[in-house]
Amino acid sequence: MTQASRRSVLAAGAALGIAPLSRARAQANTIRIGVLNDGSGMYRDISGPTAAACVRQAVADFGPRGFAVEVLYADHQNRPDVGSNIARQWIDTQGVDAILDVTTSSVALAVNDICREKNKVHINSTAATSDLTGARCTPNTVHWTYDTWMLARSTGGAMVRAGGDSWFFITADYAFGHALERDTGNFVRQAGGRVLGQVRTPFPGTTDFSSFLVQAQASRAKVIGLANAGTDTTNCIKQAAEFGITRRGVKLASLLMFINDVHSLGLQTAQGLVCTETFYWDLNEGTRRFTDRVRSAMSPNMPAMTHAGCYAGVLHYLKAVQDMGVAAAKASGADAVARMKGMPTEDDCFGRGSIRADGRKIHPSYLFEVKTPAESRGPWDYYKLLQTTPTEEAFRPVAEGGCPLVRS
């Protein structure tokens, strides 16, 4: 072998040794975030690719801080088995450190358990079940944006105070719908009202709610509580309008409705409905700044509170990673969440806040009424603020949730 050939072999051997080492070092200094939600079904507009765009915006706004961040995206099809398989594959084979968003409460509860088992971070923005910070809480989970207890207290409580003291529920037949019906029913009864009945609708799989609306109307309840979301909610509202139910004096309580749903319905149909959200794009200067930054990446959609929660949750997580160090954050999701709980939160979407011991991110909630077409100044100018529930009152008291992480 010539001297030149020997040098070539040695150089090649050195390269073979260095390349894996360089990749390992790069991976060790990279945080991988998986955005898991409904990318093609009934919740696409309130989660979907827009949530991933907001996560990427949070990474961009966080800026270079000495470590890399990669964002993955997948559609769980609103199926717990699909979501669980994706979560395990991400963690076991792709080195994902945190799983974000996770629409649909049944999927969220499954991913919640996996993240605890694998000691990774779960920051949930779009699932509503309050059990994530109750009996099913874990040291690895932060529930950011809203939950069924908050919705029940705000929207349900307002309807009872306005005279709606008898209720019939149309409920999506899975964990979220059950939890929302349960929490709202509790508030109705505590206020002296009555729950006259309920009907469970298949999830997913129905677009015709006529028979359910007929049952609700036959109960003679003053309020029909819609314990559903997404296209289920908009279809219920459209069909109730077609049947003239509200013209007969019956009130519809849209217990979980987003600005994207209002856009789908149109103001002519949605006007006068009340709903609770924790973010509205035109609420204040901070929300408008955030919307200006992300709007081009999500057009023609607009950010809902769920999208804002994805942005704010990732931003705070990255601050915790920077504070504790990448190696420590990757080694233990529970330690990363503990660091998140120990740091005050601040972002354009929700302002200043904090995360409680049970993993509940707390901030104010807002009761909105949908404007009439005459009141609206233009596209997406849909809400007028009725009341604000302050941070310390918006969510279930930490001692009442049954979270085993909370010491009595």
Side-chain angles (χ1 to χ4, degrees), residues 330-341:
K330 292 178 73 68
S332 173
D335 287 349
V337 169
R339 188 62 58 95
M340 292 173 71
K341 293 176 180 178

Side-chain angles (χ1 to χ4, degrees), residues 275-307:
C275 62
T276 296
E277 301 216 41
T278 54
F279 166 91
Y280 173 46
W281 73 268
D282 200 22
L283 185 65
N284 54 47
E285 287 299 322
T287 60
R288 287 188 284 272
R289 283 197 301 269
F290 164 72
T291 301
D292 286 343
R293 292 198 299 276
V294 300
R295 185 69 202 278
S296 62
M298 61 175 58
S299 181
N301 205 9
M302 280 284 274
M305 62 176 170
T306 45
H307 303 129

Side-chain angles (χ1 to χ4, degrees), residues 24-182:
R25 286 175 177 170
Q27 290 171 356
N29 201 44
T30 299
I31 292 293
R32 305 199 84 192
I33 298 170
V35 181
L36 182 62
N37 63 32
D38 176 5
S40 56
M42 63 191 301
Y43 301 141
R44 185 182 190 277
D45 284 349
I46 62 170
S47 58
T50 299
C54 289
V55 168
R56 294 187 184 98
Q57 185 64 52
V59 173
D61 288 353
F62 182 72
R65 293 292 188 274
F67 60 92
V69 182
E70 296 180 1
V71 178
L72 289 73
Y73 176 73
D75 178 358
H76 61 43
Q77 302 171 40
N78 294 314
R79 292 174 50 187
D81 58 334
V82 174
S84 296
N85 289 337
I86 293 170
R88 288 188 182 278
Q89 182 181 17
W90 271 353
I91 294 169
D92 292 343
T93 68
Q94 299 190 53
V96 165
D97 302 294
I99 298 181
L100 265 292
D101 198 13
V102 198
T103 325
T104 313
S105 293
S106 53
V107 184
L109 290 168
V111 171
N112 187 57
D113 293 341
I114 291 169
C115 286
R116 180 172 191 168
E117 173 194 339
K118 301 289 187 179
N119 199 15
K120 299 301 179 182
V121 174
H122 175 204
I123 304 174
N124 194 289
S125 180
T126 307
T129 177
S130 58
D131 293 345
L132 284 171
T133 54
R136 300 286 293 273
C137 76
T138 86
N140 297 74
T141 294
V142 175
H143 199 186
W144 198 276
T145 309
Y146 69 105
D147 62 32
T148 53
W149 193 97
M150 180 273 287
L151 297 167
R153 183 191 188 282
S154 180
T155 306
M159 297 294 285
V160 174
R161 287 192 299 272
D165 57 3
S166 60
W167 286 61
F168 187 99
F169 288 97
I170 296 177
T171 302
D173 193 12
Y174 75 107
F176 151 69
H178 298 172
L180 187 52
E181 177 193 310
R182 176 198 67 202

